[in-house]
């Protein structure tokens, strides 16, 4: 009788183990869809996108990365967030360079959204804060190339503070650069809460 009970218990334990193994593991990573809709309204959200598009002069030759970012941006816009998009473009070496400006990306994103996407003159500083403060729920603005500052790729603490300063929350939607420990991908996520992933991650 004892052997039958023992075998039954082993079978039961085995079934439990198999069921546990079949369950999807929770990663703990939060997505924008995990946050209640009402929590977005009027919030200033910094969204790290990957807008490193190919250019021929100032003409975008492939807008796939911009188009891919739109589901996340539209989701936030529809919930009344104030969206500020940041990204790098190319590899500027000595500060701002016209050929690496995100202006073509702001123009293209505006065409897709069918409304103006204002380009900030920088990604940090008083002018950026003023632009974000003036924006209304549902507006989208774009910060200038984060790599115009060498501190971006060094994840410099002071730069991180300045980049995060105008915002209430952070969304990382930059699939192609999420692995890099830069200020706009890693640093600001430690300063803004909640910090969640977009639909591309």
């Amino acid at each position: 009788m004892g052997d039958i009970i023992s075998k039954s218990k082993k079978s039961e334990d085995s079934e439990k183990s198999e069921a546990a193994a079949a369950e999807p593991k929770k990663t703990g990573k939060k997505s924008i869809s995990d946050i209640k809709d009402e929590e977005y309204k009027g919030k200033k959200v910094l969204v790290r996108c990957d807008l490193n598009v190919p250019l021929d002069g100032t003409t975008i030759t492939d807008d796939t990365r911009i188009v891919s970012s739109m589901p996340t941006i539209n989701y936030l816009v529809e919930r009344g967030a104030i969206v500020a998009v940041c990204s790098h473009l190319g590899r500027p070496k000595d500060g701002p360079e016209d050929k690496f400006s995100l202006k073509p990306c702001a123009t293209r994103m505006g065409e897709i959204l069918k409304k103006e996407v204002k380009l900030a003159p920088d990604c940090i500083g008083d002018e950026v804060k003023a632009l974000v403060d003036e924006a209304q729920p549902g507006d989208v603005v774009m910060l200038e190339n984060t790599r115009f500052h060498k501190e971006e790729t060094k994840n410099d603490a002071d730069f991180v503070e300045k980049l995060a300063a105008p915002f209430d929350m952070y969304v990382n939607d930059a699939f192609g650069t999420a692995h890099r420990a830069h200020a706009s991908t890693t640093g600001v996520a430690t300063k803004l809460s909640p910090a969640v992933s977009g639909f591309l991650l």
Side-chain angles (χ1 to χ4, degrees):
M1 182 73 177
D3 287 346
I4 293 172
I5 292 172
S6 177
K7 285 178 181 177
S8 175
K9 188 173 187 313
K10 282 180 180 177
S11 176
E12 185 180 324
D13 289 344
S14 176
E15 286 175 7
K16 284 181 180 178
S17 296
E18 287 174 10
E23 286 181 6
K25 292 182 179 178
K26 294 182 180 179
T27 62
K29 182 177 73 172
K30 278 195 170 186
S31 167
I32 55 174
S33 57
D34 292 323
I35 297 174
K36 293 178 181 178
D37 288 357
E38 59 268 25
E39 292 182 33
Y40 285 115
K41 190 164 181 62
K43 292 294 176 64
K44 300 164 186 173
V45 185
L46 179 64
V47 184
R48 179 48 159 105
C49 295
D50 180 7
L51 306 182
N52 190 26
V53 296
L55 293 168
D56 181 4
T58 59
T59 302
I60 297 170
T61 57
D62 184 349
D63 66 358
T64 301
R65 292 185 179 186
I66 298 173
V67 172
S68 297
S69 299
M70 297 317 298
T72 291
I73 292 168
N74 280 323
Y75 184 89
L76 296 169
V77 166
E78 288 164 3
R79 283 152 183 79
I82 296 165
V83 179
V85 176
C86 73
S87 178
H88 76 285
L89 176 63
R91 296 185 177 183
K93 295 178 181 178
D94 300 304
E97 296 180 59
D98 287 345
K99 66 179 179 179
F100 293 126
S101 172
L102 285 170
K103 186 175 181 180
C105 296
T107 300
R108 181 66 187 120
M109 189 172 286
E111 290 170 352
I112 296 169
L113 286 168
K114 294 182 171 56
K115 63 181 179 181
E116 183 184 13
V117 174
K118 290 182 179 178
L119 178 68
D122 203 339
C123 60
I124 58 171
D126 292 341
E127 290 181 277
V128 172
K129 184 180 185 305
L131 183 64
V132 173
D133 286 347
E134 289 168 6
Q136 300 299 309
D139 283 352
V140 179
V141 301
M142 189 175 293
L143 309 189
E144 188 53 283
N145 195 334
T146 55
R147 288 194 190 172
F148 283 171
H149 296 266
K150 63 181 183 299
E151 294 87 352
E152 154 72 347
T153 56
K154 296 177 181 178
N155 196 15
D156 177 81
D158 185 52
F159 180 73
V160 168
E161 289 278 0
K162 292 175 181 176
L163 185 59
F167 303 104
D168 301 310
M169 54 202 302
Y170 173 72
V171 175
N172 190 346
D173 203 42
F175 178 79
T177 57
H179 62 287
R180 294 185 176 134
H182 293 174
S184 65
T185 53
T186 301
V188 290
T190 67
K191 297 296 178 183
L192 296 172
S193 181
V196 297
S197 62
F199 293 128
L200 286 179
L201 264 65

